[in-house]
Amino acid sequence: MELTAIASAGMTISRERPPFVADERTQLVGWLDMQRALVRYKCEGLAEADEHRSVLSTSPLMTMAGLVSHMRWTEHCWFNVLFLGESFEGNPQFQEEPEDADMRVDDAPLAKLLDEFEQQCAQSNEIIAAHSLDETGKHPDFGSAQATLRWILLHMLEETARHIGHLDTIRELLDGEKGYY
C-alpha cells in the first residue's frame, strides 16, 4: 500500500510501509521512519491556538508541541548520547529541574519543533547507517548504553508508535480530527 511521503527541512520521511521481504535493517528503519512520518501527519492542519493546548488535566505538558519536542530529544538521547557517547549537556531530558523540561516548549512554534524533530531523525538515520546492529552504545555513565543498536531501534519504534497514539488522542480531543495514516 503506497502512502504519502513527508518532505521538510531537506529530508523526506516516507509514510510507506517497508517491503514484506527485506533485510532486517531495511525493515527496522522502514517501520521507524513510517512512525516518524506520522508525527507530522498528526499535526497537519492543527490550529495555531491548539499547538500548546492541554486537553488532559492530569498531564498538562502532554500537548501536540510538547510531544513533538519530547520525541526529538528522545531520538537525540538514544542515538547521540547513549549510542555514540556524546555529551548530554544540551538535551533537556537530562535536566533535573524543571521536571519534563523537554516538553516545556510554550514559546516554540509547532512547525519549528517538527522541523527539528525531522532533522534529528535524519541524523539518527545517519548514525544507524554507519553502525552494525550488533554494536553497543558507548556512553560510560548510563547502563542503557549497553544496549545494541538493534535494541535501540526496536525501543525507538515502540516509543514513537506509543506517542503517535497520544498524538491521535490529543488531536481528536482538540478538534475532532482523526485518521490512521
Side-chain angles (χ1 to χ4, degrees):
M1 173 187 296
E2 187 161 324
L3 304 170
T4 315
I6 305 289
S8 175
M11 81 173 276
T12 299
I13 303 178
S14 176
R15 284 187 1 221
E16 186 175 327
R17 290 178 173 156
F20 290 130
V21 179
D23 64 276
E24 181 181 23
R25 181 183 300 270
T26 299
Q27 294 220 353
L28 288 171
V29 174
W31 280 107
L32 179 56
D33 276 347
M34 189 184 99
Q35 294 302 311
R36 290 165 166 165
L38 291 174
V39 173
R40 183 173 290 273
Y41 171 69
K42 296 301 174 182
C43 297
E44 286 176 353
L46 182 67
E48 189 176 324
D50 289 334
E51 292 178 359
H52 299 277
R53 191 161 69 110
S54 175
V55 294
L56 304 170
S57 62
T58 56
S59 298
L61 298 176
M62 184 94 59
T63 65
M64 298 295 279
L67 280 167
V68 171
S69 177
H70 169 73
M71 287 188 280
R72 177 262 175 111
W73 289 111
T74 299
E75 288 265 346
H76 179 266
C77 170
W78 281 98
F79 292 109
N80 293 76
V81 176
L82 298 173
F83 186 73
L84 288 183
E86 293 177 1
S87 172
F88 58 85
E89 286 301 318
N91 187 323
Q93 290 185 333
F94 292 92
Q95 290 178 216
E96 289 186 32
E97 293 293 326
E99 185 178 2
D100 298 319
D102 61 323
M103 296 180 83
R104 296 176 186 272
V105 291
D106 289 342
D107 296 332
L110 182 59
K112 178 180 186 267
L113 296 169
L114 286 164
D115 287 347
E116 290 173 350
F117 169 70
E118 290 172 354
Q119 289 167 5
Q120 181 60 57
C121 291
Q123 186 175 49
S124 297
N125 279 353
E126 289 174 12
I127 294 166
I128 294 163
H131 297 274
S132 163
L133 295 176
D134 294 321
E135 193 174 332
T136 59
K138 294 171 182 49
H139 205 290
D141 298 332
F142 300 100
S144 298
Q146 296 174 28
T148 63
L149 181 56
R150 176 183 293 101
W151 189 97
I152 292 170
L153 276 163
L154 288 166
H155 171 65
M156 289 306 301
L157 179 56
E158 173 268 333
E159 173 88 9
T160 306
R162 181 168 57 96
H163 290 316
I164 296 300
H166 293 134
L167 290 172
D168 273 335
T169 301
I170 292 168
R171 183 65 189 263
E172 188 171 348
L173 290 170
L174 285 170
D175 63 9
E177 283 295 316
K178 54 187 173 180
Y180 182 57
Y181 58 88

